[in-house]
Amino acid sequence: MIRIENLKVKFKTESGWFEAVKGVSFDLKKGEVMGIVGESGSGKSVTSLSIMRLHDPAISLFSGHIFYKDIDLLALPEEKMPDYRGNQISMIFQEPMTSLNPVLTCGSQVAEAIKRHRSGTEVKNVKEAVLELFNEVQLPSPEHIYNSYPHEISGGQKQRVMIAMALSCNPDVLIADEPTTALDVTVQNTILKLLLRIKEERHMSLIFISHDLGVIGEIADRVIVMYRGEIVEEAEVQEIFNNPRHPYTRGLLACRPSPERRLYKLPVVADFLSEDEQGNIQAGQTLTQVLETLQIDEAKTAIRKNIIYSHKPILRVENLNTWFPVSQGLFRPVKEYKKAVNDVSFEVFPGETLGLVGESGCGKTTLGRSILRLIEPTGGNIFFKGTNLRDLSSDKMRAFRREIQIIFQDPYSSLNPRLTIGQSIMEPMQVHAVFSDDKQRKKRVLELLERVNLRTEHFNRYPHEFSGGQRQRISIARALALQPEFIICDESVSALDVSVQAQVLNLLRELQEEFKLSYIFISHDLAVVKHISDRMMVMNKGRIEEIGDAEDVYHNPQSDYTRKLINAIPKGIAVKS
């Protein structure tokens, strides 16, 4: 269906031409699911966008060949590409919120694609065709979704709308670019099954792009591993998992948290490969060698937990409620409330990491923000070191926020794009009068940058100049600037590559030991929560389903909901050491 021969893609930058894809070649067979895996910047999305010819010709250069059947797409004039783009080859883009137009309803956007590519004789009633697609991708209440705007539906529903749009013209080849990144594991599992079902029913070929080999193992027949614009390994999916030949592949397989292994620190790609002065890749340790050095010491863990739970709780939440009024219309009394947090009680001990896990909409983020009173609770009490935060005035609460900080889910939107990262980290110190002058504050910022594995010369750069993982490190440095005792990590690794995620999780654990921090670690990924947490709390529809030791909750769940979350974790294929 698709044959790529020696594809090279260059982009024009301020310093010259940058080669993003360096001589990539592969075939996609009819009915096959081809997985393309690699970190951000490896060339995965650039390769897929090249198949669609979606790069800006003013700043990009192509060479090589991309054949759809026997037609070289790179040799076609641009006016001929719409005959293939959308009709024969379609794409599900990575981020549905930015791919969907916020001022148009979901139905009208899918209808637009049908009108653009399918003739009126073929589709007499466009709305009926859209509703059929919404039914096919299993959207609840298709008529309601048709008239809804993107911000009015959930992340999983937006992704289904994008799938419906991609399917609207009956393509032969579907490219899915990170379609499940940052989705709940349960929603992700549903989307993977949906794509496989539609692929079989429509006899399509599928290119599935991801940074997570666990997800690739659930869906792909064959896998291509990309690293810095090149293919470093290609094999059947079982071969990739059971006998990975390239050290980079071994690193990707190892760095995702495994619920079956107990490690105090996650492996990272650098454990498996290095580069010499000429840039040639040198193989590092084997998986067995790496895991031997990272095994958790059960005796030390038991001693640590005994120390933690011998102290009084640093945070105690009692019967906390955060309810939002459901509007019945203008000037009508409120009769109904959305109970985002509903009678929640728990404790966090000094030096402990309490993991908070659940699907989107279960109330995790609302609970975290309610503790900080960034959202005012409806009822209940929040005791921090014996002081009820609900009794504090706004001024006194601001002072307490020096001791309780939050790392937000999206570091890009939580950093001011007009401030350098040095100014962003220094700002809370100025607000809380930490140190007497900016010279001392700058010295502290430079120390923090180095501590989170960034460089001092980054001080004067802006957020857009950094990768997602680097921006998350900046957010961590900002949270540490006030020397807090307690940090709420709100989905702080959910959208990161698995390799970068491992680095950030290791950093959070190191910082906890160094600065004696207590964490509430919020995530929808139970495997990540189990790795980093001492105790785990499972939340569903505003209530606590169960709470207990992380190992006990995973291996002996008491709730059907917890079992559902565990079963949805991508298992891939068993990896041999």
Side-chain angles (χ1 to χ4, degrees), residues 209-482:
I209 298 167
S210 179
H211 60 254
D212 189 341
L213 266 165
V215 173
I216 290 287
E218 297 277 307
I219 194 170
D221 302 311
R222 196 155 47 98
V223 183
I224 285 171
V225 182
M226 292 190 70
Y227 179 64
R228 296 192 178 179
E230 299 179 280
I231 294 175
V232 296
E233 187 162 356
E234 179 180 350
E236 298 296 314
V237 66
Q238 294 90 349
E239 182 70 13
I240 287 286
F241 275 80
N242 293 328
N243 188 29
R245 299 187 305 275
H246 198 277
Y248 179 68
T249 311
R250 291 197 288 270
L252 284 181
L253 282 166
C255 60
R256 196 189 193 289
S258 169
E260 308 306 326
R261 289 197 295 251
R262 296 201 67 194
L263 306 175
Y264 76 90
K265 185 179 175 184
L266 289 172
V268 295
V269 170
D271 293 327
F272 298 88
L273 61 84
S274 59
E275 292 185 6
D276 60 22
E277 293 179 357
Q278 287 73 41
N280 299 313
I281 294 172
Q282 306 293 315
Q285 303 174 79
T286 65
L287 179 58
T288 303
Q289 290 170 329
V290 171
L291 294 181
E292 281 177 357
T293 63
L294 301 178
Q295 291 295 333
I296 202 160
D297 187 320
E298 300 289 353
K300 286 183 179 178
T301 301
I303 293 169
R304 176 179 172 273
K305 287 189 175 182
N306 285 335
I307 293 171
I308 287 173
Y309 299 124
S310 65
H311 292 94
K312 290 182 179 179
I314 188 172
L315 178 77
R316 192 170 79 253
V317 175
E318 294 180 349
N319 309 109
L320 190 68
N321 293 306
T322 304
W323 298 358
F324 299 109
V326 178
S327 174
Q328 304 294 318
L330 198 61
F331 305 124
R332 292 185 181 181
V334 174
K335 296 181 180 179
E336 188 181 346
Y337 287 87
K338 167 69 175 175
K339 298 180 179 181
V341 177
N342 192 11
D343 195 28
V344 167
S345 300
F346 64 92
E347 298 172 330
V348 183
F349 292 83
E352 181 187 29
T353 299
L354 177 67
L356 176 55
V357 69
E359 297 172 283
S360 293
C362 72
K364 307 185 302 293
T365 294
T366 303
L367 175 58
R369 296 187 181 195
S370 298
I371 291 168
L372 280 162
R373 284 182 55 193
L374 297 175
I375 298 172
E376 282 295 338
T378 310
N381 296 300
I382 306 159
F383 293 96
F384 181 73
K385 296 201 297 188
T387 300
N388 192 346
L389 302 185
R390 300 257 0 250
D391 294 339
L392 299 180
S393 65
S394 296
D395 289 341
K396 289 183 177 178
M397 186 62 214
R398 176 179 288 187
F400 255 93
R401 289 203 182 105
R402 181 173 174 177
E403 298 183 62
I404 313 176
Q405 286 288 297
I406 186 167
I407 302 168
F408 293 101
Q409 179 172 356
D410 182 359
Y412 193 70
S413 61
S414 61
L415 292 169
N416 190 329
R418 298 180 180 181
L419 297 180
T420 67
I421 65 155
Q423 292 169 325
S424 289
I425 298 171
M426 196 185 296
E427 184 182 37
M429 291 192 278
Q430 293 167 332
V431 169
H432 289 274
V434 177
F435 301 119
S436 57
D437 58 56
D438 281 347
K439 186 176 179 181
Q440 289 177 293
R441 294 179 189 124
K442 182 175 180 179
K443 182 182 176 184
R444 171 67 175 159
V445 171
L446 295 176
E447 290 171 356
L448 286 170
L449 287 175
E450 290 187 332
R451 185 61 198 85
V452 298
N453 301 324
L454 293 171
R455 298 195 298 273
T456 54
E457 56 262 35
H458 289 155
F459 184 94
N460 292 312
R461 294 188 188 175
Y462 290 86
H464 72 272
E465 298 180 81
F466 295 89
S467 69
Q470 287 174 320
R471 283 197 288 266
Q472 199 58 275
R473 291 170 186 273
I474 293 163
S475 296
I476 292 170
R478 193 171 195 261
L480 291 172
L482 297 177

Side-chain angles (χ1 to χ4, degrees), residues 45-95:
S45 295
V46 173
T47 300
S48 64
L49 290 168
S50 301
I51 296 171
M52 299 281 286
R53 290 264 303 268
L54 287 175
H55 297 303
D56 183 352
I59 58 166
S60 54
L61 285 177
F62 298 90
S63 65
H65 304 278
I66 300 175
F67 291 99
Y68 166 69
K69 297 181 178 175
D70 293 324
I71 297 139
D72 189 350
L73 299 178
L74 290 187
L76 285 178
E78 177 55 35
E79 59 268 21
K80 291 286 185 182
M81 269 307 294
D83 295 338
Y84 299 93
R85 185 192 297 135
N87 280 341
Q88 312 300 332
I89 309 168
S90 195
M91 189 166 186
I92 305 165
F93 294 97
Q94 180 171 355
E95 178 45 68

Side-chain angles (χ1 to χ4, degrees), residues 17-28:
W17 289 92
F18 171 73
E19 192 170 25
V21 175
K22 307 170 184 176
V24 163
S25 300
F26 66 87
D27 296 334
L28 175 69

Side-chain angles (χ1 to χ4, degrees), residues 99-114 150 161 165:
S99 301
L100 292 170
N101 191 326
V103 300
L104 297 178
T105 62
C106 296
S108 66
Q109 296 187 60
V110 180
E112 181 184 25
I114 293 173
V161 171
M165 191 184 298

